[in-house]
C-alpha cells in the first residue's frame, strides 16, 4: 500500500508543478528582478554622459536641464507599470535629439541599463536584451 500512496503523491506533485510552471512563465518580469548587468550599466554611463547628459543632465540631478530628468521620482512615476520595451523604443527611435535613431540597439540597451541603475534598480547576471519584443515582457516597477 505504501508504493501506490507514494506514487500518488509524486503524481500530484508533478501535476501541481506542471500547472504552476506556465502560470509563472506568463508573469511579466520586473526591473526589480536584476534585468541588466553592472558592466552594461557602466558602458551605458559612458554613452549617457556623451549622448544624453547635455539635455537631461546628470542621472540623479534634482533640477532638469532642457529635458526631463531620468532618475527622479517623476520619471519613475511616469514609467511605473509600463514595459521596458517602450522606453527602449523611445530612446532607439527619438534620441539623441540632434541625431534621432543614430544609436545602435546595443547602445540603447546600455543606456536603458544605466537609467535603471540610476533609478536604483538592482543589477543581475544577464545583460539587458536589445530586442524590444523581449523587453516588452519586463515592467518598470
Amino acid at each position: 500500500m505504501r508504493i501506490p500512496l507514494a506514487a500518488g503523491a509524486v503524481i500530484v506533485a508533478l501535476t501541481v508543478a506542471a500547472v504552476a510552471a506556465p502560470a509563472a512563465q506568463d508573469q511579466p518580469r520586473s526591473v526589480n528582478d536584476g534585468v541588466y548587468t553592472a558592466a552594461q550599466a557602466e558602458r551605458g554611463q559612458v554613452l549617457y554622459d556623451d549622448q544624453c547628459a547635455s539635455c537631461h543632465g546628470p542621472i540623479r540631478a534634482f533640477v532638469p536641464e532642457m529635458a526631463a530628468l531620468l532618475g527622479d521620482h517623476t520619471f519613475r512615476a511616469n514609467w511605473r507599470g509600463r514595459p521596458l520595451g517602450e522606453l527602449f523604443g523611445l530612446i532607439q527611435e527619438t534620441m539623441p535629439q540632434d541625431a534621432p535613431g543614430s544609436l545602435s540597439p546595443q547602445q540603447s540597451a546600455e543606456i536603458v541599463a544605466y537609467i535603471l541603475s540610476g533609478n536604483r534598480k538592482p543589477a543581475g547576471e544577464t545583460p539587458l536584451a536589445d530586442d524590444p519584443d523581449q523587453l516588452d515582457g519586463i515592467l518598470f516597477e
Side-chain angles (χ1 to χ4, degrees), residues 15-58:
T15 302
V16 168
V19 169
Q25 290 173 354
D26 291 341
Q27 295 284 333
R29 293 172 50 203
S30 161
V31 294
N32 295 321
D33 295 333
V35 297
Y36 68 94
T37 64
Q40 189 177 33
E42 289 172 12
R43 291 189 303 274
Q45 181 177 4
V46 172
L47 288 165
Y48 181 93
D49 290 345
D50 185 52
Q51 300 289 324
C52 312
S54 62
C55 291
H56 291 281

Side-chain angles (χ1 to χ4, degrees), residues 22-95:
Q25 290 173 354
D26 291 341
Q27 295 284 333
R29 293 172 50 203
S30 161
V31 294
N32 295 321
D33 295 333
V35 297
Y36 68 94
T37 64
Q40 189 177 33
E42 289 172 12
R43 291 189 303 274
Q45 181 177 4
V46 172
L47 288 165
Y48 181 93
D49 290 345
D50 185 52
Q51 300 289 324
C52 312
S54 62
C55 291
H56 291 281
I59 195 77
R60 292 197 179 142
F62 292 109
V63 178
E65 302 277 328
M66 296 183 337
L69 296 174
L70 302 180
D72 71 339
H73 66 282
T74 303
F75 175 82
R76 288 187 292 278
N78 286 337
W79 284 94
R80 185 170 293 119
R82 294 167 68 179
L84 211 49
E86 199 175 320
L87 177 59
F88 173 87
L90 180 70
I91 291 169
Q92 181 70 48
E93 295 169 18
T94 66
M95 296 292 145

